[in-house]
Amino acid sequence: MLENPAHLDTGLSHFLMIGSGVFWTITYLLILRRGYLDKTYGMPMAALCANLAWEFIFAFVHPHPLPQLYIDYLWFLFDVGILVQYLRYGSKEFPAHLPKGLFYPTFSFSLVFAALLIAAISHEFDEYIGIYAAFGQNLMMSVLFVRMYLKRYSVQGQSIYIALAKLVGTVFPSVLFYLYFPDSYLLILLYLGILIFDAVYVGLLYRHQVKEGISPWRRL
């Protein structure tokens, strides 16, 4: 349980929250853009389910304080857009050895399970801000982005700007909660894990595009 956060200047905390909100919003917008252009989805299914569940819970069930609450509303709206892309294009990448009829039930089960898991984490740790769940699923997302690239072995639905925006968007809350809870070794480990996998993802996308003769900086 996270108790007795260190005192932090309100202006600094709001700056870090808004910085996170801005860069994650850019991440979502770029994912939507590339998904539209490449006719695919740009967020792995398990990560999408976790995001949708987290944003719904902490926007409507256990609402965050401002300004984070407004950011949650915005993120939820964008994730619904990414959901539409996943439901439209995701069946093409569903495992060929499984019946296609399992595509929607698999997604539905994953979404419900993610919501129950996040609610259980909050109850177990008596922590209704969603910090543990947020950084835990962020690490999962970082790993899954790397896996998505390796599975596709292409930059379809992806760009270096998405990877960089996610990395920077996570640095802001990592700094914020480190300042609040500098003695939480679990959170520190999560911050470092996310940063490492995000940096790996940036490097993989950059290397692949250079190898293919694509300018990483021109592919928005």
Side-chain angles (χ1 to χ4, degrees), residues 29-196:
L29 287 171
L30 292 176
I31 288 173
L32 285 165
R33 182 178 187 277
R34 282 259 54 106
Y36 172 77
L37 292 175
D38 295 344
K39 300 296 185 288
T40 188
Y41 64 95
M43 184 179 291
M45 186 266 285
L48 175 60
C49 289
N51 273 11
L52 282 166
W54 190 91
E55 286 150 10
F56 181 85
I57 288 171
F58 296 106
F60 303 106
V61 182
H62 301 294
H64 278 142
L66 299 176
Q68 184 60 46
L69 181 60
Y70 293 147
I71 295 170
D72 293 342
Y73 292 151
L74 189 62
W75 287 350
F76 184 75
L77 179 65
F78 289 139
D79 265 335
V80 169
I82 297 171
L83 166 64
V84 171
Q85 291 183 336
Y86 176 76
L87 294 179
R88 183 174 182 183
Y89 301 115
S91 60
K92 293 186 295 185
E93 296 187 34
F94 196 67
H97 60 279
L98 294 177
K100 288 294 184 184
L102 289 178
F103 174 71
Y104 291 107
T106 298
F107 174 80
S108 300
F109 172 80
S110 300
L111 181 59
V112 171
F113 186 81
L116 292 174
L117 185 60
I118 292 168
I121 290 171
S122 296
H123 177 76
E124 186 79 13
F125 289 96
D126 193 24
E127 187 269 293
Y128 292 93
I129 299 296
I131 300 170
Y132 289 122
F135 284 103
Q137 70 191 53
N138 199 329
L139 177 59
M140 176 187 72
M141 187 187 304
S142 298
V143 174
L144 290 177
F145 269 118
V146 172
R147 182 185 179 277
M148 183 172 72
Y149 161 75
L150 294 175
K151 179 183 175 183
R152 291 176 174 173
Y153 196 60
S154 79
V155 292
Q156 192 104 19
Q158 305 159 84
S159 75
I160 197 167
Y161 290 105
I162 293 172
L164 287 171
K166 180 192 178 305
L167 187 155
V168 176
T170 304
V171 167
F172 277 101
S174 298
V175 172
L176 174 64
F177 286 104
Y178 175 75
L179 293 175
Y180 275 137
F181 305 103
D183 298 324
S184 175
Y185 297 113
L186 173 57
L187 287 179
I188 291 171
L189 189 61
L190 290 171
Y191 307 150
L192 293 175
I194 295 165
L195 183 62
I196 290 168

